[in-house]
Structures are given as C-alpha cells and as structure tokens.
Amino acid sequence: MLSKSAARAFFLGGTVLCAVAFVGLTVDTLGRIPAQTHQGEITDAVRRGKDLWDRSNCMGCHTLLGEGAYYAPELTKVFERRGPVFIRAMLTDPEKMYPGQRRMWKYDFSERDKDDLIAFFQWIGKMDLNGFPPKPTLAQMATTTGLAATVDRPQIFNQLCVACHALGGQGGQVGPALDGVGGRMAPAQIAAWLADPPAIKPGTQMPKLPLTDGQRQELTAFLSTLK
Amino acid sequence: MKYESQRVAWWFFATCMLLFGLQLVYGLIMGYAHAGHDPLHPIIPFHVARAVHTNLLVVWLLTGFMGAAYFIIPEEADRELYWPKLAYVQLIALVVVGVVAIIGFHLQWWEGRKFLEIPRPLDFLVVVDVLLFIANIGMTIWKGKRMTTTSMVLFFGLLMAALLYLPGMIPTDNQTLDSYWRWWVVHLWVEGVWELIMGAILSFLLIKLTGVDREVIEKWLYVIVGFTFLSGILGTGHHYYWIGTPRYWLLIGGVFSALEPLAFLGMAIYAIAMARKGGRAHPNRVALQWTIGCAVMSFVGAGFLGFAHTLPQVNLYTHGTLVTAMHGHMAFWGAYAMLVLAMISYALPLLTGRKRHDTPSASFAFWTSNIGMIAMTLAFAVAGITQVVLERRVGMDFVTVQKEIEVHFWGLLLAAGLFILGISAYIYNFIRHGKPVAEVQGGGDSGASPPAAEAA
C-alpha cells in the first residue's frame, strides 16, 4: 500500500517537474511572441490605444482575443469587419448607431483617442492567432451563392451597412432589409437619404453617417442595382 | 473553539456573508441586462456590474480562506495565533481596500483586465495585507507545538497564492503578453494553488467530521494535490490557444487540461470514501453535506464542464462565448464557494456556542442553492450552445443572436431566484447563530488534545 512519504514524494516530484517544464515553455514562448504578434508594429498610437482599452474596461462587455465578457461583440477582427468609419462613429455615439438596442457606455473620447483605438484594433487584427476566430463553416454550406455575392459589394457596404441591415438574409436586423431597395427608391433619393437621414425623415432611427462623397456615390450606385 | 484567537474567524466569515450577498445583486443586474432590460445603465452599466460581480467573488473567497486559516491553524498548530490583534487589523485593511475598490469601479477607476480590475495602487495594498496575513499564519505554525501536513499544505497554498499575484503586475505594451501573465495569476490560482487551499480545508473538515485517521486522510491529500499540479500547471496552456502564442500550446494545453478532471474526480471520491469509512455520526451533518457537496460539485463544474470545452477543437468555437460563463459559474460555486460555506457551517456552532446546524433552514439552504445553481448552469448552457451554433457556425450577426437567446436569460433569472432564496436562508442561519462567544469552550469537538490552558 502507498505510504505517506511515497505520496509526498509523488506530489513534490510531479510539481517540480511540471513547474520546470512550464517555466521552460514560458521562456520559449516569450521569445516567439514578438514575431507572432508583430510587436515591431506597436506604434505610440497602438500603445495609447491599449491604454484606453484598459482604462475604459472595454473587456467588461466585449471580448478581445476571445477574452472578456460576453455582453458585446468580439473585437479581434473588428477593423477588418467594420472598418475605421464605423468604429469612429460607434465610439462617438454608440446609441445613435444601434438605436433601441443593447446599450454601450458613451465615453468622451477625443478624436485622437478614436484614432488610437482604431490603430490598436488594426494591430490586434493582424496577429497570428492559430485560426481564431473560426470561419462560420455552416454559413458557407447554406449560402454558397451568398458568399460570392458579398465579394461584388463595395467594401464600405460590407463593413458599415450590414451592421444594421440585412441583404440576401445576411446582416443585422436593426434596420429594414435592403433587398429590392433600388426598385423602391430612385438613385437621387438614395443619395439624399444617405447624406442625412434625419433631415429627410425626422425621428428616423438611422443616424447621419460620416461618409465621404466618394463613399456615398459608391453606395448609391450599388444600392440602385438592388431591384 | 479551542483557542480564543480563533474567534477572529467569525468576523472574516461575517464579511464573507455581506460581500456574497452584494455579489448576487450585481449578478441580477447583469442577468436583466442580458434579458434585454438595463434600466440601471446610466448609473451601473454592464461593465461596472461585471467588474463588481467578479471582484466581489474573488474578495469574499479570499476573505473566507483567511477566516478558515485563522480557525484551522491554531487548532492544527496547537497554540493561539502569534499576533491575534494583527488579524483584526488585517481584516479591517482588507475591507477598506475592498470598499475603495468597489466605489472606484462605480466611478470607472479600474484597470480593465478581467478578474484583475483592482487599480494598481490598491494592488500593492492587497499584497501588503496578504503578506501580513501570511506572516501571522506562518509564525503561528512555526511557534506551534506541531506541524501537520494539513497546516503546511494550507500555508504553502496561501503563500503561493500571494506570490502568484505578482506576475499580474508586470507592465507590457503587448496585449498578448498582458494576457499571458494575467493567466499566470488567474489560472494558477483557481486551477493550481487554490486547490491546495481547498485540499487542506477539505482534509481538516474530513478529519473533524468523519473521525478517520489523520495519517490516512493526509496521505490521500498529497496524492490529490499531486494530480492537481501534474495537470493544472501545464493545463494553463488551454488559455494560450488563441491569444498570439505558439501552436504547441494547443497540444500541451489540450493534453494536460484533459487530465484536470482526474484531480477533481479524485477529490470527490476521496471525500465520499472518507465519509463512508469514518462512520462516526458527527452531530453537524450539514457541515458534512457541504463538504461532500463541495467535492462532488467541483468535479461537475470544474472537472466535467471544464473538460467539455477545453479541447482545442471544441474551444475554437466556444472560446469567448457564454459557454465559458456556464463552466465558470458552477466551477467557482462547487470548488470554492461551497468550500467556504462548508467551513463556515462547521465553524459557526463552535464559534458561537449555538448548535443550530440541525435546523430545517440549514438543510433548505444547501439543497435550494445547489438546485438553483444547477438550473442556472443549464440556462447558461442552452444560451451558450445556441450562441455558438448561430454566431460561430452559421455566421449570424452578434446582436441578432443575442436577441434570439434573451429568453434563456429569463430562465437564468428564475433559477437565480431559487439560488438567492437558498443563500438567503444560509445568511439567515448565520445571523441567527449570533455573535461569537467570549470564552473558550473546551476542546471544540476534536477531542484530540486538551483545552488550551496557556490561552492568553
């Protein structure tokens, strides 16, 4: 039968062995992290962005690298998914961007703060994360044509508009679906609407988005084709 | 209660009850927010509630561990605490730091790092406070009449917990390194050295409650904490799958964290076997209920549900979803909350001299809170799995999916109501026990050694 001293030896031996292995692996990992995370690309803006990320406790609702709370979207790939225009508008006034939806705290970010956070997200998005976040495999099976269709859309549409509107069954459900919008509205109407929705229809939930003239023209042309 | 200085434990336990009660309030705020109602958003937005909820948990568990240590160590070392007054000073300091931190969170003064939100200046105060505690416990053991395995495991568990707080303060610009060191604290606490503390407290309770020979219980204690470290240390790798660390962590983390349930299974079998072997009918049956319950529920919550999403193939989809919340709630409840409640249930009649452990409310508290927690875990599981399928597999938008699963949070709130009812009964029972008695009441119930004649 096992004696107490043998049990103690098992405990001490196993613990020391595993601790040594863990410290060894940590040393090796610390050597590899700079390359895997593009540490050289950490600019002052990224640094300030991380500081803002921590100070604002963004992790209290969002996840980053899958870590944090599960109340708000995962932000690892937010730069690629939504782009700087959307992120800036969201950081300026979150409730305007998602009216009547789950609420985000309205921070008093300066324009430079927003630049810094965007730089931080851009840097995070480039990391090699061993395949996280995963691609939605079932979505590709369900809509093989849908995926091809998204490629033809303007980038700004895929980043900004789909946050609230669906097209072909994909996208948000905050605003109405955009299928057939080109048949319902003339190009001039669409352009005027995009320029300033509350001016056209007072009380609308859609905010005035910070689009450039070029982006507005591109979106108008694209939306007009949806008949 | 054998020694007068053990009485300080009551104040630690009373603090636990207060903080635990407050933790539930903030949990409710978050549950309602998830169900689509956040009327408190302008005053207590979600990220404030979340920081308060998790940090209250950590603080009340640590307070409970300290109270347990102040109760156990004098009995194990066979002497009064070395600095009895320091224990009170140290509790007051801890409460002050805790209150400042919680008020600070409401003013959004924090670090924004999950579980380690306490602002940096307060971190240093926590470390000083814990070192004072360690010194007090350490001197008591050092000057004591005997050095038992149970007290040594408890001491080293507490000492390592204090030292492992330090990696969390390493400054870095890189989010990956930030996370890397954060898990050194969080993982090596809850799946490492806290299990030493858990093993030691369980041993103490089993020795007292079952009457099984100390040598037998302590031998198995070594085996179990041995398995804990064998799996838990390298099991930290399951936090290093997707944060910008090398691929080999998928293999190492996967293999070793798959072994982690064994340590918890061992703990459960050990507790049940010792209870059967003992056969001694200790009058405080509720304390034994909590003790066995802790060992079993920690296996279910930490062992089984942890295993359910620890393999990288699964974790790729469940990482950063409500599935984590499912595992987290039952793991913390089973392993650590129930442990502290077991310790309080055992110590309270001895501290206060009122034997209220047979009252229906004590049993009601045990069953209602456990059934409530199991139901909460199921609600989280349904919400989490639905989120994984819709968002991660089908590719639906986050906000749309959250609307879909709102209904499960009503289920969660119902279950939470049951849980809160159980905990209220526990706190009611605590209050009914009254304040600790002034005089030392003989040899407690150990019967192993004569009452302390040298008590100051």
Side-chain angles (χ1 to χ4, degrees):
Chain A
M1 192 61 187
L2 183 76
S3 71
K4 191 174 174 182
S5 60
R8 187 194 296 132
F10 163 73
F11 162 62
L12 291 174
T15 303
V16 168
L17 214 63
C18 285
V20 168
F22 186 59
V23 169
L25 285 166
T26 293
V27 170
D28 182 74
T29 297
L30 294 182
R32 290 171 196 251
I33 284 176
Q36 199 171 342
T37 62
H38 310 288
Q39 194 164 285
E41 294 173 35
I42 299 181
T43 59
D44 283 338
V46 173
R47 220 164 270 140
R48 287 193 301 268
K50 175 178 159 32
D51 187 48
L52 282 167
W53 171 267
D54 286 341
R55 250 193 301 140
S56 314
N57 192 16
C58 305
M59 247 192 197
C61 295
H62 292 277
T63 48
L64 189 70
L65 311 178
E67 295 179 344
Y70 321 112
Y71 191 63
E74 173 29 79
L75 294 181
T76 306
K77 297 287 181 192
V78 71
F79 185 83
E80 185 188 320
R81 187 170 71 239
R82 293 282 181 248
V85 178
F86 181 93
I87 298 173
R88 183 178 299 275
M90 191 71 196
L91 291 172
T92 307
D93 193 346
E95 275 185 55
K96 231 179 186 170
M97 294 302 282
Y98 282 101
Q101 303 291 313
R102 188 172 279 184
R103 285 188 281 183
M104 171 173 157
W105 187 254
K106 191 182 171 186
Y107 295 94
D108 282 325
F109 290 130
S110 69
E111 288 307 309
R112 196 182 83 154
D113 289 345
K114 292 173 207 165
D115 289 335
D116 294 342
L117 277 165
I118 290 167
F120 175 64
F121 290 132
Q122 191 174 10
W123 170 70
I124 287 277
K126 279 188 276 186
M127 282 185 186
D128 172 7
L129 301 176
N130 302 334
F132 184 85
K135 294 268 174 289
T137 40
L138 296 179
Q140 289 175 10
M141 279 197 290
T143 58
T144 39
T145 51
L147 194 76
T150 60
V151 179
D152 303 332
R153 300 171 180 176
Q155 192 193 16
I156 192 79
F157 181 87
N158 280 336
Q159 289 181 332
L160 201 62
C161 308
V162 294
C164 294
H165 299 277
L167 182 60
Q170 285 182 316
Q173 293 179 357
V174 179
L178 293 175
D179 303 86
V181 69
R184 294 194 296 272
M185 292 167 84
Q189 281 178 301
I190 295 176
W193 175 260
L194 289 176
D196 193 351
I200 307 278
K201 184 180 164 191
T204 180
Q205 295 204 318
M206 178 158 162
K208 185 179 171 182
L209 295 163
L211 298 167
T212 62
D213 286 343
Q215 286 167 332
R216 207 160 45 239
Q217 281 163 15
E218 193 185 10
L219 280 174
T220 305
F222 170 70
L223 291 171
S224 302
T225 64
L226 302 174
K227 290 187 176 159
Chain B
M1 188 167 73
K2 271 170 79 179
Y3 295 99
E4 207 187 326
S5 54
Q6 281 177 296
R7 208 183 322 148
V8 71
W10 187 88
W11 295 97
F12 278 84
F13 295 152
T15 310
C16 278
M17 295 290 98
L18 195 71
L19 299 179
F20 188 17
L22 206 56
Q23 190 205 352
L24 302 182
V25 175
Y26 285 85
L28 278 183
I29 294 173
M30 286 194 285
Y32 275 106
H34 264 289
H37 295 270
D38 60 347
L40 289 174
H41 179 81
I43 323 156
I44 309 173
F46 189 89
H47 58 329
V48 169
R50 152 99 182 184
V52 176
H53 183 72
T54 50
N55 281 274
L56 276 175
L57 171 72
V58 175
V59 174
W60 87 255
L61 290 178
L62 285 177
T63 310
F65 293 163
M66 287 177 179
Y70 281 137
F71 188 88
I72 292 173
I73 295 298
E75 274 201 42
E76 290 288 301
D78 241 334
R79 60 158 291 141
E80 292 284 351
L81 282 178
Y82 195 72
W83 291 298
K85 286 210 175 67
L86 183 69
Y88 287 94
V89 173
Q90 186 246 316
L91 173 66
I92 292 165
L94 189 71
V95 170
V96 168
V97 171
V99 168
V100 171
I102 287 165
I103 294 172
F105 289 163
H106 285 86
L107 303 172
Q108 307 208 5
W109 182 47
W110 48 25
E111 268 188 13
R113 300 157 73 231
K114 189 179 178 181
F115 300 122
L116 304 180
E117 283 92 346
I118 292 181
R120 195 51 55 96
L122 296 183
D123 277 342
F124 292 110
L125 290 177
V126 171
V127 171
V128 170
D129 192 67
V130 172
L131 288 177
L132 288 179
F133 161 74
I134 300 281
N136 203 355
I137 293 294
M139 282 307 283
T140 308
I141 295 175
W142 184 251
K143 300 280 182 186
K145 288 200 199 70
R146 50 178 197 167
M147 242 177 250
T148 65
T149 302
T150 301
S151 63
M152 292 310 282
V153 171
L154 182 59
F155 175 75
F156 277 104
L158 293 163
L159 179 67
M160 286 308 292
L163 293 180
L164 281 171
Y165 195 64
L166 301 175
M169 296 204 252
I170 297 172
T172 170
D173 295 333
N174 189 327
Q175 188 67 25
T176 298
L177 282 169
D178 198 312
S179 266
Y180 193 90
W181 294 122
R182 199 166 53 79
W183 290 119
W184 267 55
V185 185
V186 179
H187 176 93
L188 292 178
W189 265 14
V190 299
E191 282 157 75
V193 295
W194 280 25
E195 283 185 54
L196 282 188
I197 300 170
M198 177 186 175
I201 295 178
L202 280 184
S203 287
F204 175 81
L205 289 170
L206 288 171
I207 290 169
K208 297 291 175 184
L209 293 169
T210 66
V212 174
D213 184 49
R214 174 184 288 276
E215 284 300 301
V216 177
I217 287 189
E218 290 183 340
K219 177 178 81 183
W220 290 107
L221 173 64
Y222 272 130
V223 174
I224 284 159
V225 295
F227 272 114
T228 298
F229 279 154
L230 218 49
S231 57
I233 296 177
L234 289 169
T236 316
H238 64 214
H239 296 289
Y240 299 156
Y241 294 160
W242 325 116
I243 63 166
T245 36
R247 269 198 104 78
Y248 55 67
W249 284 112
L250 269 68
L251 182 68
I252 295 166
V255 169
F256 283 90
S257 61
L259 295 174
E260 278 186 54
L262 287 183
F264 284 105
L265 183 63
M267 197 97 78
I269 293 173
Y270 159 75
I272 294 169
M274 294 303 151
R276 285 202 166 164
K277 193 179 162 119
R280 186 174 110 183
H282 191 279
N284 193 343
R285 288 185 52 79
V286 166
L288 188 62
Q289 242 175 2
W290 282 104
T291 307
I292 306 288
C294 163
V296 173
M297 291 293 272
S298 67
F299 167 66
V300 178
F304 179 73
L305 292 180
F307 179 74
H309 77 135
T310 199
L311 295 179
Q313 296 87 333
V314 178
N315 193 257
L316 176 63
Y317 292 97
T318 58
H319 178 55
T321 67
L322 289 160
V323 169
T324 314
M326 163 204 71
H327 155 62
H329 277 78
M330 201 188 262
F332 268 106
W333 167 250
Y336 301 119
M338 286 185 78
L339 177 73
V340 172
L341 298 182
M343 188 64 213
I344 296 177
S345 292
Y346 169 75
L348 210 50
L350 302 172
L351 286 166
T352 62
R354 290 182 191 84
K355 313 240 174 290
R356 284 185 49 84
H357 40 67
D358 291 330
T359 58
S361 65
S363 198
F364 175 83
F366 175 82
W367 289 107
T368 311
S369 58
N370 271 294
I371 292 168
M373 181 50 82
I374 291 168
M376 278 170 71
T377 307
L378 288 174
F380 269 123
V382 177
I385 292 165
T386 310
Q387 184 193 6
V388 168
V389 171
L390 294 183
E391 191 189 328
R392 295 283 172 83
R393 304 281 282 172
V394 176
M396 273 169 76
D397 178 66
F398 179 89
V399 178
T400 313
V401 174
Q402 292 294 312
K403 278 243 174 263
E404 290 291 325
I405 61 177
E406 268 178 12
V407 63
H408 302 305
F409 281 90
W410 289 109
L412 178 79
L413 286 166
L414 272 177
L418 208 57
F419 180 73
I420 290 171
L421 196 65
I423 299 305
S424 304
Y426 192 97
I427 295 175
Y428 165 81
N429 222 30
F430 185 93
I431 295 168
R432 286 297 301 275
H433 266 93
K435 296 259 285 274
V437 280
E439 75 280 8
V440 172
Q441 293 198 325
D445 65 347
S446 75
S449 18
E454 79 275 30

